[in-house]
Short mmCIF file of all heavy atoms in Angstrom, two decimals:
data_model
loop_
_atom_site.label_atom_id
_atom_site.label_comp_id
_atom_site.label_asym_id
_atom_site.label_seq_id
_atom_site.Cartn_x
_atom_site.Cartn_y
_atom_site.Cartn_z
N THR A 1 89.23 83.62 96.89
CA THR A 1 89.06 82.61 97.94
C THR A 1 87.65 82.68 98.55
O THR A 1 87.10 81.65 98.89
CB THR A 1 90.11 82.76 99.05
OG1 THR A 1 90.06 84.07 99.57
CG2 THR A 1 91.49 82.46 98.53
N THR A 2 87.11 83.89 98.65
CA THR A 2 85.74 84.01 99.17
C THR A 2 84.76 83.27 98.25
O THR A 2 83.89 82.54 98.69
CB THR A 2 85.35 85.49 99.29
OG1 THR A 2 86.22 86.13 100.20
CG2 THR A 2 83.92 85.66 99.76
N SER A 3 84.95 83.47 96.95
CA SER A 3 84.08 82.79 96.00
C SER A 3 84.29 81.27 96.07
O SER A 3 83.33 80.48 96.04
CB SER A 3 84.36 83.27 94.57
OG SER A 3 83.59 82.56 93.64
N LEU A 4 85.54 80.85 96.19
CA LEU A 4 85.84 79.42 96.29
C LEU A 4 85.16 78.80 97.51
O LEU A 4 84.51 77.76 97.42
CB LEU A 4 87.35 79.22 96.36
CG LEU A 4 87.85 77.78 96.63
CD1 LEU A 4 87.64 76.93 95.40
CD2 LEU A 4 89.29 77.78 97.04
N VAL A 5 85.28 79.49 98.64
CA VAL A 5 84.70 78.95 99.88
C VAL A 5 83.17 78.98 99.80
O VAL A 5 82.49 77.98 100.08
CB VAL A 5 85.19 79.74 101.11
CG1 VAL A 5 84.40 79.40 102.35
CG2 VAL A 5 86.66 79.48 101.31
N ASP A 6 82.58 80.13 99.40
CA ASP A 6 81.12 80.27 99.41
C ASP A 6 80.44 79.42 98.35
O ASP A 6 79.34 78.92 98.58
CB ASP A 6 80.74 81.75 99.20
CG ASP A 6 81.11 82.62 100.39
OD1 ASP A 6 81.43 82.03 101.46
OD2 ASP A 6 81.12 83.85 100.24
N ASN A 7 81.07 79.28 97.17
CA ASN A 7 80.37 78.61 96.07
C ASN A 7 80.80 77.18 95.82
O ASN A 7 80.11 76.46 95.09
CB ASN A 7 80.59 79.41 94.79
CG ASN A 7 80.04 80.83 94.90
OD1 ASN A 7 78.99 81.03 95.50
ND2 ASN A 7 80.77 81.80 94.41
N ILE A 8 81.93 76.76 96.40
CA ILE A 8 82.38 75.37 96.15
C ILE A 8 82.55 74.60 97.45
O ILE A 8 81.95 73.55 97.65
CB ILE A 8 83.67 75.37 95.33
CG1 ILE A 8 83.39 75.94 93.94
CG2 ILE A 8 84.26 73.97 95.22
CD1 ILE A 8 84.59 76.11 93.06
N ILE A 9 83.36 75.13 98.38
CA ILE A 9 83.67 74.38 99.58
C ILE A 9 82.48 74.26 100.52
O ILE A 9 82.13 73.14 100.98
CB ILE A 9 84.88 75.01 100.32
CG1 ILE A 9 86.11 74.84 99.43
CG2 ILE A 9 85.10 74.34 101.68
CD1 ILE A 9 87.35 75.55 99.97
N MET A 10 81.79 75.36 100.80
CA MET A 10 80.65 75.29 101.73
C MET A 10 79.51 74.43 101.20
O MET A 10 78.94 73.64 101.95
CB MET A 10 80.14 76.72 102.06
CG MET A 10 81.12 77.52 102.88
SD MET A 10 81.66 76.74 104.41
CE MET A 10 80.31 77.21 105.47
N PRO A 11 79.15 74.48 99.89
CA PRO A 11 78.12 73.54 99.41
C PRO A 11 78.57 72.07 99.53
O PRO A 11 77.74 71.21 99.82
CB PRO A 11 77.93 73.95 97.95
CG PRO A 11 78.28 75.38 97.91
CD PRO A 11 79.41 75.52 98.89
N LEU A 12 79.85 71.81 99.28
CA LEU A 12 80.32 70.44 99.43
C LEU A 12 80.26 69.98 100.90
O LEU A 12 79.85 68.85 101.17
CB LEU A 12 81.78 70.32 98.91
CG LEU A 12 81.95 70.40 97.38
CD1 LEU A 12 83.42 70.40 97.03
CD2 LEU A 12 81.21 69.26 96.71
N ILE A 13 80.62 70.85 101.81
CA ILE A 13 80.49 70.52 103.24
C ILE A 13 79.04 70.31 103.59
O ILE A 13 78.66 69.38 104.32
CB ILE A 13 81.15 71.61 104.12
CG1 ILE A 13 82.66 71.61 103.95
CG2 ILE A 13 80.78 71.41 105.59
CD1 ILE A 13 83.36 72.75 104.66
N GLY A 14 78.15 71.14 103.07
CA GLY A 14 76.73 70.97 103.29
C GLY A 14 76.21 69.65 102.74
O GLY A 14 75.38 68.99 103.38
N LEU A 15 76.71 69.24 101.58
CA LEU A 15 76.31 67.96 101.01
C LEU A 15 76.76 66.80 101.90
O LEU A 15 76.01 65.85 102.11
CB LEU A 15 76.91 67.83 99.59
CG LEU A 15 76.54 66.59 98.81
CD1 LEU A 15 75.05 66.59 98.48
CD2 LEU A 15 77.37 66.51 97.53
N LEU A 16 77.99 66.91 102.43
CA LEU A 16 78.50 65.86 103.30
C LEU A 16 77.75 65.78 104.62
O LEU A 16 77.71 64.76 105.26
CB LEU A 16 80.00 66.08 103.56
CG LEU A 16 80.93 65.92 102.38
CD1 LEU A 16 82.36 66.31 102.74
CD2 LEU A 16 80.89 64.48 101.87
N THR A 17 77.20 66.92 105.08
CA THR A 17 76.47 66.93 106.33
C THR A 17 74.98 66.70 106.16
O THR A 17 74.18 66.96 107.07
CB THR A 17 76.70 68.26 107.08
OG1 THR A 17 76.26 69.34 106.24
CG2 THR A 17 78.14 68.43 107.45
N GLY A 18 74.57 66.26 105.01
CA GLY A 18 73.15 65.91 104.80
C GLY A 18 72.34 67.03 104.20
O GLY A 18 71.12 67.11 104.45
N GLY A 19 72.92 67.90 103.42
CA GLY A 19 72.20 68.95 102.72
C GLY A 19 71.97 70.20 103.54
O GLY A 19 71.15 71.05 103.17
N ILE A 20 72.65 70.34 104.64
CA ILE A 20 72.50 71.53 105.47
C ILE A 20 73.28 72.68 104.85
O ILE A 20 74.45 72.54 104.49
CB ILE A 20 73.03 71.27 106.90
CG1 ILE A 20 72.24 70.13 107.56
CG2 ILE A 20 72.96 72.54 107.74
CD1 ILE A 20 72.83 69.67 108.86
N ASP A 21 72.64 73.85 104.69
CA ASP A 21 73.34 75.02 104.18
C ASP A 21 74.03 75.71 105.33
O ASP A 21 73.43 76.41 106.14
CB ASP A 21 72.34 75.97 103.50
CG ASP A 21 73.04 77.18 102.86
OD1 ASP A 21 74.28 77.23 102.86
OD2 ASP A 21 72.30 78.07 102.34
N LEU A 22 75.34 75.48 105.45
CA LEU A 22 76.06 75.99 106.60
C LEU A 22 76.20 77.50 106.62
O LEU A 22 76.41 78.09 107.67
CB LEU A 22 77.44 75.35 106.66
CG LEU A 22 77.46 73.85 106.98
CD1 LEU A 22 78.87 73.32 106.95
CD2 LEU A 22 76.80 73.57 108.29
N THR A 23 76.09 78.14 105.45
CA THR A 23 76.20 79.61 105.44
C THR A 23 75.00 80.26 106.15
O THR A 23 75.10 81.39 106.57
CB THR A 23 76.30 80.14 104.00
OG1 THR A 23 75.17 79.73 103.27
CG2 THR A 23 77.57 79.66 103.34
N LYS A 24 73.91 79.52 106.27
CA LYS A 24 72.74 80.04 106.97
C LYS A 24 72.57 79.45 108.36
O LYS A 24 71.52 79.53 108.95
CB LYS A 24 71.49 79.80 106.12
CG LYS A 24 71.53 80.57 104.83
CD LYS A 24 70.31 80.37 104.01
CE LYS A 24 70.47 81.24 102.77
NZ LYS A 24 69.83 80.74 101.62
N TRP A 25 73.64 78.82 108.86
CA TRP A 25 73.61 78.20 110.16
C TRP A 25 73.78 79.28 111.21
O TRP A 25 74.85 79.86 111.36
CB TRP A 25 74.70 77.16 110.27
CG TRP A 25 74.80 76.42 111.54
CD1 TRP A 25 73.76 76.15 112.40
CD2 TRP A 25 75.95 75.86 112.12
NE1 TRP A 25 74.21 75.45 113.47
CE2 TRP A 25 75.55 75.24 113.33
CE3 TRP A 25 77.27 75.77 111.74
CZ2 TRP A 25 76.44 74.59 114.15
CZ3 TRP A 25 78.16 75.11 112.57
CH2 TRP A 25 77.74 74.54 113.76
N ASP A 26 72.71 79.57 111.93
CA ASP A 26 72.73 80.62 112.96
C ASP A 26 72.20 80.03 114.25
O ASP A 26 71.36 79.13 114.27
CB ASP A 26 71.80 81.79 112.54
CG ASP A 26 72.28 82.51 111.30
OD1 ASP A 26 73.51 82.65 111.13
OD2 ASP A 26 71.43 82.93 110.51
N ILE A 27 72.68 80.59 115.36
CA ILE A 27 72.15 80.25 116.66
C ILE A 27 71.33 81.44 117.13
O ILE A 27 71.84 82.55 117.24
CB ILE A 27 73.29 79.96 117.66
CG1 ILE A 27 74.06 78.72 117.20
CG2 ILE A 27 72.73 79.78 119.05
CD1 ILE A 27 75.26 78.39 118.06
N VAL A 28 70.05 81.23 117.37
CA VAL A 28 69.14 82.31 117.78
C VAL A 28 69.24 82.50 119.27
O VAL A 28 68.98 81.62 120.06
CB VAL A 28 67.68 81.97 117.37
CG1 VAL A 28 66.74 83.08 117.82
CG2 VAL A 28 67.57 81.73 115.88
N LEU A 29 69.72 83.69 119.65
CA LEU A 29 69.81 84.04 121.07
C LEU A 29 68.51 84.62 121.59
O LEU A 29 68.10 84.35 122.72
CB LEU A 29 70.94 85.05 121.30
CG LEU A 29 72.36 84.58 120.92
CD1 LEU A 29 73.35 85.71 121.10
CD2 LEU A 29 72.76 83.38 121.75
N LYS A 30 67.86 85.41 120.73
CA LYS A 30 66.58 86.00 121.11
C LYS A 30 65.73 86.05 119.82
O LYS A 30 66.14 86.67 118.85
CB LYS A 30 66.80 87.41 121.65
CG LYS A 30 65.55 88.10 122.10
CD LYS A 30 65.85 89.49 122.65
CE LYS A 30 64.58 90.22 122.97
NZ LYS A 30 64.81 91.60 123.30
N PRO A 31 64.61 85.36 119.81
CA PRO A 31 63.80 85.32 118.61
C PRO A 31 63.20 86.71 118.28
O PRO A 31 63.10 87.57 119.15
CB PRO A 31 62.69 84.31 118.91
CG PRO A 31 62.71 84.16 120.38
CD PRO A 31 64.03 84.58 120.90
N ALA A 32 62.85 86.85 117.03
CA ALA A 32 62.23 88.11 116.58
C ALA A 32 60.85 88.26 117.22
O ALA A 32 60.16 87.27 117.47
CB ALA A 32 62.12 88.13 115.07
N VAL A 33 60.48 89.49 117.48
CA VAL A 33 59.16 89.77 118.04
C VAL A 33 58.28 90.29 116.91
O VAL A 33 58.64 91.23 116.21
CB VAL A 33 59.26 90.82 119.16
CG1 VAL A 33 57.88 91.19 119.67
CG2 VAL A 33 60.15 90.32 120.28
N THR A 34 57.15 89.61 116.70
CA THR A 34 56.21 90.02 115.65
C THR A 34 54.88 90.41 116.29
O THR A 34 54.49 89.83 117.31
CB THR A 34 56.01 88.89 114.63
OG1 THR A 34 55.54 87.75 115.31
CG2 THR A 34 57.29 88.57 113.89
N GLU A 35 54.26 91.39 115.70
CA GLU A 35 52.96 91.85 116.18
C GLU A 35 52.03 92.09 114.99
O GLU A 35 52.49 92.34 113.89
CB GLU A 35 53.12 93.16 116.97
CG GLU A 35 53.89 93.01 118.26
CD GLU A 35 54.02 94.34 119.00
OE1 GLU A 35 53.43 95.34 118.59
OE2 GLU A 35 54.76 94.34 120.00
N MET A 36 50.76 92.04 115.28
CA MET A 36 49.77 92.31 114.26
C MET A 36 49.50 93.81 114.25
O MET A 36 49.06 94.38 115.23
CB MET A 36 48.47 91.54 114.57
CG MET A 36 47.41 91.66 113.51
SD MET A 36 47.82 90.76 112.03
CE MET A 36 47.41 89.10 112.48
N VAL A 37 49.84 94.45 113.15
CA VAL A 37 49.63 95.89 113.01
C VAL A 37 48.76 96.09 111.78
O VAL A 37 49.16 95.77 110.66
CB VAL A 37 50.98 96.65 112.87
CG1 VAL A 37 50.76 98.12 112.66
CG2 VAL A 37 51.84 96.39 114.08
N ASP A 38 47.56 96.67 111.96
CA ASP A 38 46.61 96.94 110.89
C ASP A 38 46.33 95.68 110.05
O ASP A 38 46.30 95.73 108.83
CB ASP A 38 47.12 98.06 109.96
CG ASP A 38 47.24 99.38 110.72
OD1 ASP A 38 46.45 99.62 111.65
OD2 ASP A 38 48.16 100.16 110.38
N GLY A 39 46.20 94.56 110.69
CA GLY A 39 45.86 93.33 110.02
C GLY A 39 47.05 92.66 109.32
O GLY A 39 46.87 91.66 108.64
N VAL A 40 48.23 93.22 109.49
CA VAL A 40 49.42 92.64 108.87
C VAL A 40 50.40 92.27 109.97
O VAL A 40 50.68 93.07 110.85
CB VAL A 40 50.06 93.66 107.89
CG1 VAL A 40 51.32 93.08 107.28
CG2 VAL A 40 49.07 94.06 106.81
N MET A 41 50.95 91.03 109.84
CA MET A 41 51.96 90.61 110.81
C MET A 41 53.29 91.26 110.45
O MET A 41 53.80 91.05 109.36
CB MET A 41 52.06 89.08 110.79
CG MET A 41 52.89 88.52 111.90
SD MET A 41 52.12 88.82 113.49
CE MET A 41 51.51 87.22 113.84
N THR A 42 53.85 92.05 111.37
CA THR A 42 55.12 92.72 111.11
C THR A 42 56.11 92.40 112.22
O THR A 42 55.73 92.13 113.37
CB THR A 42 54.96 94.25 111.02
OG1 THR A 42 54.40 94.71 112.25
CG2 THR A 42 54.07 94.66 109.88
#
């Protein structure tokens, strides 16, 4: 059932909602904090 939902039902629901991938639908409560460390953004 997990495979059925993840690989068939959720993509079909995403297609019906305009191509939105619902498995990656998240609500951000607090965004990630990034800083420049040694010339690299981490």
Side-chain angles (χ1 to χ4, degrees):
T1 56
T2 299
S3 177
L4 174 72
V5 169
D6 292 345
N7 300 320
I8 295 175
I9 294 174
M10 292 305 277
L12 289 174
I13 292 174
L15 183 66
L16 293 174
T17 59
I20 300 171
D21 184 4
L22 293 178
T23 58
K24 295 182 178 150
W25 181 28
D26 296 324
I27 296 176
V28 179
L29 299 176
K30 181 178 175 189
V33 176
T34 56
E35 294 179 7
M36 186 71 79
V37 177
D38 297 328
V40 177
M41 190 65 105
T42 58

